[in-house]
Amino acid sequence: MTIKAGILSDTHSTGANSRFRRLIEHCFSDCAIIIHAGDLTDISILDAFADKTVYAVHGNMCRGTAQKILPRETVFTLGGFSIGLTHGAHLGYDIESGLWDIFPEADCVIYGHTHQPVCHYQNKRLIINPGSFQATGRWGSPGTYAILEAGNTLSAQIFQLPCLP
């Protein structure tokens, strides 16, 4: 059986408004699991995912409550695979070079912070940055997110947000 997880990061929002709710319904309707890689800003953004299993970390732009409730990094299992999750701001300029120091046994590492989507393998391990879900990427780049599938193997893909009102 394949498990499907929606991944987002850098929502930079103080709440789940109606447009945000429409986007997550469109993007993640067939995902039982949501992974948020930080900078949600306010913890209430996670209320939009009440019917799903959520794994989330805080980022450098999160408000006090989110920083107190959410960890800076976490490890969880998805279909028998070990997943490391961090926002990555504390890793400096070259985030990817520090990921394996934090998660040496992980099959996949997910991070955020850069607003630049990334999805590639490094030494047979998957690295994912879903980019910025709220289209707050640099130079006017569109909002992006990722879908991770865990079956016999791990695979992921980056998607652009649809144009919804």
Side-chain angles (χ1 to χ4, degrees):
M1 181 176 102
T2 298
I3 299 169
K4 204 170 191 181
I7 308 171
L8 69 164
S9 185
D10 297 278
T11 46
H12 295 284
S13 184
T14 57
N17 63 27
S18 61
R19 180 178 182 276
F20 180 81
R21 289 181 183 276
R22 285 191 305 278
L23 284 169
I24 63 167
E25 176 60 30
H26 179 85
C27 299
F28 305 127
S29 63
D30 60 346
C31 297
I33 296 167
I34 295 295
I35 303 166
H36 198 300
D39 272 4
L40 43 98
T41 306
D42 191 89
I43 194 77
S44 67
I45 201 80
L46 297 179
D47 293 345
F49 305 107
D51 62 333
K52 301 181 186 294
T53 300
V54 175
Y55 298 97
V57 292
H58 71 76
N60 58 303
M61 299 299 289
C62 286
R63 293 182 175 178
T65 305
Q67 289 223 355
K68 289 177 188 169
I69 293 173
L70 300 174
R72 181 169 77 174
E73 54 211 29
T74 190
V75 177
F76 58 93
T77 302
L78 188 66
F81 295 97
S82 175
I83 311 294
L85 175 63
T86 188
H87 183 60
H90 62 289
L91 294 174
Y93 181 73
D94 185 11
I95 294 171
E96 285 192 24
S97 67
L99 293 174
W100 303 120
D101 292 335
I102 300 171
F103 307 110
E105 303 300 319
D107 298 301
C108 172
V109 177
I110 300 167
Y111 71 100
H113 187 58
T114 65
H115 296 207
Q116 300 296 312
V118 167
C119 184
H120 64 91
Y121 285 91
Q122 184 180 75
N123 299 323
K124 298 184 182 181
R125 298 187 292 180
L126 187 56
I127 298 176
I128 304 167
N129 181 331
S132 172
F133 191 74
Q134 293 285 64
T136 56
R138 294 184 180 118
W139 307 289
S141 62
T144 56
Y145 64 100
I147 300 293
L148 174 63
E149 292 187 4
N152 292 332
T153 60
L154 281 176
S155 62
Q157 190 172 354
I158 302 290
F159 297 92
Q160 287 189 359
L161 286 179
C163 293
L164 296 178

